[in-house]
Amino acid sequence: MNKNTWVVGFMLFAIFFGAGNLIFPPNLGFASGQFFWPAIVGFILTGVGLPLLGIIVGSLDESGYKGVLHRINPVFGILFLSAVYLTIGPLFAIPRTGATSYEMAVLPFLKAPSAMSLLIFTIIFFGITLWLAINPSKMVDRVGAILTPLLLISIIALVVVSIFLLTGTSPVKAQADVYTNLNTSFFSGFTSGYQTMDAIAAIAFSVIVINAIKDKGITKETGLFKQTVLAGIIAAIALGFIYLTLGWIGSHYHLSAAQLSEIKKNELDLGTYILTHVAHDTFGTFGKLLIGIIVSLACLTTSTGLVVAVSEYFNEIFPKISYKTYAIAFTLFSFILANQGLKAVIEKSIPVLLILYPIAMTLVLIMLVAKFVPTPLLAFQIPIILVTIVSVLSVLSAEFNILPFMNALPLKAQSMEWLLFAVVGYLIGYVLGLRQTKISYK
């Protein structure tokens, strides 16, 4: 494993590790309490395992996800990938980085939040994001070799001291009804991992990783796949360590009734509140500054990677518009949405994720199977169609409560009712595909 692999691996970790990766684990830890371990295992499976799998699978085909989806159905490919890139880009994930940075890096030093302070901060934040993203060929060195080491050092300093201070304290009592036993806790953690958006982000980031490795002079013949896997493993280990430790801190950080009342009254984010107070308890006033540095670096590297990924994709689809124009437009749009506040951004993203995640996971798993089992194109098409239908119905059921029959679907309680449809769809497509055509993915 050479230096370039480490640099690319650190860059991948940095662009994955953003706003949600910081605030969701302590939130999960506090909510799950004594059932922390099954919950965090489920969370890591979707928050680490699926992104790693997505990066690896994306490198199996020279054309990546774009080429595979084009062969399945060109229209579906463009629509799905556009939805993915817009979701992890200017609609949700990029604005979330700016809003989270403000709440954790600036708000603790203010008497009260204000629209003007948020505006000033986001101008600076997205200005730096644009500067880093405007020349994507230099992003790997800027992020992987400079910002990521600073980010890791800051996080490790906070985590080590916090764990030392909390060692010996008992876990908090589970705060949510979904954390009542091992089974429900695992699946609740599993679906909570969706909110990091990393599994669908991997579809976009796989292109960045492959291009970054190619820029180092490595080709398919000289070990492109191997280097991609190694870079992915480096990022996955770092992410898993951070999730586990931040989640453990949340599960052992006791909040008083007054603090819980304050969080509810002011509609504060629980994970943000815990991290800010843990930092203050461990390092005093400097702790607030430290957590601000951690959040700003984490969110900045993620926002940069997302602007690059989204701009490059749409530049490929509509090349008449330059990459630079896309980067400016998406950054500006994200800046506008970030000024709506963190809570609004997170709440609006959940229904979209419930639709995209099952489709993305189905696509990744089928591509993985197809690498070893010759798979007809129908075996791709049918399960994705079924999963799309089930996902939309699930959101309608959950958000509007107009489809009560959805509650009777298998695995509905675990929010994985799509899985059975995906498996059945694949089998049907496989059998029909073998009869109709000999064209296969492999």
Side-chain angles (χ1 to χ4, degrees):
M1 191 179 297
N2 55 41
K3 178 184 176 182
N4 288 334
T5 305
W6 285 99
V7 170
V8 174
F10 282 147
M11 177 210 67
L12 182 59
F13 161 74
I15 59 179
F16 268 136
F17 190 77
N21 310 76
L22 272 169
I23 62 180
F24 292 134
N27 194 329
L28 175 75
F30 185 81
S32 58
Q34 69 269 32
F35 295 106
F36 163 70
W37 288 107
I40 198 63
V41 168
F43 185 89
I44 288 176
L45 280 177
T46 47
V48 178
L50 286 178
L52 173 61
L53 188 61
I55 293 293
I56 293 173
V57 169
S59 66
L60 292 177
D61 191 287
E62 290 186 36
S63 56
Y65 291 98
K66 182 181 175 182
V68 174
L69 285 171
H70 181 78
R71 289 200 295 276
I72 294 173
N73 186 293
V75 176
F76 171 80
I78 291 177
L79 291 177
F80 175 68
L81 285 179
S82 295
V84 165
Y85 277 98
L86 290 174
T87 299
I88 65 168
L91 293 182
F92 300 114
I94 299 177
R96 191 173 72 181
T97 60
T100 301
S101 297
Y102 169 77
E103 287 205 7
M104 296 186 69
V106 177
L107 199 54
F109 296 95
L110 302 177
K111 291 183 179 180
S114 68
M116 181 57 67
S117 60
L118 176 59
L119 177 64
I120 294 172
F121 176 81
T122 50
I123 288 175
I124 297 172
F125 180 89
F126 287 108
I128 297 174
T129 294
L130 183 60
W131 174 75
L132 289 169
I134 209 70
N135 190 344
S137 64
K138 296 181 179 179
M139 190 192 73
V140 175
D141 294 326
R142 288 172 177 169
V143 174
I146 300 173
L147 293 180
T148 308
L150 293 175
L151 171 62
L152 283 172
I153 291 171
S154 301
I155 294 175
I156 291 172
L158 174 64
V159 163
V160 169
V161 177
S162 299
I163 290 177
F164 177 77
L165 292 177
L166 292 173
T167 297
T169 61
S170 60
V172 300
K173 184 179 179 181
Q175 302 294 308
D177 294 338
V178 292
Y179 300 106
T180 55
N181 57 58
L182 296 179
N183 183 54
T184 59
S185 298
F186 171 80
F187 283 105
S188 296
F190 188 91
T191 53
S192 293
Y194 291 2
Q195 297 182 64
T196 66
M197 300 189 188
D198 285 347
I200 57 175
I203 294 175
F205 289 162
S206 62
V207 177
I208 295 179
V209 174
I210 292 172
N211 289 338
I213 294 174
K214 287 181 177 178
D215 288 342
K216 302 298 182 182
I218 299 173
T219 64
K220 181 179 180 180
E221 291 71 25
T222 58
L224 177 63
F225 175 73
K226 179 182 178 181
Q227 294 301 314
T228 303
V229 172
L230 291 175
I233 291 174
I234 291 171
I237 291 174
L239 282 172
F241 170 77
I242 299 301
Y243 289 161
L244 184 62
T245 51
L246 288 179
W248 186 89
I249 290 171
S251 70
H252 286 73
Y253 193 78
H254 292 259
L255 295 174
S256 65
Q259 288 175 309
L260 291 173
S261 177
E262 177 189 356
I263 293 171
K264 184 177 181 180
K265 179 181 178 182
N266 297 317
E267 296 185 338
L268 301 175
D269 179 79
L270 179 61
T272 302
Y273 187 92
I274 291 174
L275 281 180
T276 302
H277 283 70
V278 165
H280 183 268
D281 292 347
T282 52
F283 294 104
T285 303
F286 173 73
K288 292 183 178 180
L289 179 62
L290 179 63
I291 197 68
I293 293 173
I294 293 173
V295 170
S296 298
L297 289 174
C299 293
L300 188 60
T301 52
T302 298
S303 64
T304 301
L306 291 173
V307 169
V308 170
V310 178
S311 301
E312 286 185 339
Y313 171 74
F314 283 100
N315 180 239
E316 280 188 49
I317 302 299
F318 306 106
K320 290 184 178 180
I321 301 176
S322 68
Y323 167 85
K324 184 176 180 180
T325 302
Y326 279 116
I328 294 173
F330 289 137
T331 303
L332 180 61
F333 191 82
S334 301
F335 158 76
I336 294 172
L337 289 188
N339 279 272
Q340 305 303 309
L342 178 60
K343 183 177 175 62
V345 174
I346 292 177
E347 288 179 348
K348 292 175 182 177
S349 68
I350 293 176
V352 178
L353 294 178
L354 289 175
I355 295 176
L356 291 181
Y357 249 86
I359 302 172
M361 286 188 282
T362 299
L363 175 64
V364 169
L365 292 174
I366 292 179
M367 285 181 65
L368 183 63
V369 171
K371 179 63 179 177
F372 305 100
V373 180
T375 301
L377 291 182
L378 271 178
F380 284 82
Q381 296 168 342
I382 293 179
I384 290 177
I385 292 171
L386 291 176
V387 167
T388 303
I389 294 173
V390 173
S391 300
V392 172
L393 290 176
S394 298
V395 172
L396 289 175
S397 176
E399 293 296 311
F400 304 104
N401 198 28
I402 59 176
L403 299 170
F405 72 89
M406 292 294 298
N407 294 324
L409 289 176
L411 299 178
K412 171 63 178 176
Q414 291 79 28
S415 298
M416 294 182 66
E417 61 273 21
W418 57 270
L419 183 59
L420 180 61
F421 287 81
V423 173
V424 172
Y426 175 81
L427 294 176
I428 293 174
Y430 187 86
V431 173
L432 294 178
L434 288 180
R435 292 180 177 180
Q436 293 181 11
T437 178
K438 296 297 183 180
I439 299 175
S440 66
Y441 167 73
K442 188 164 181 168

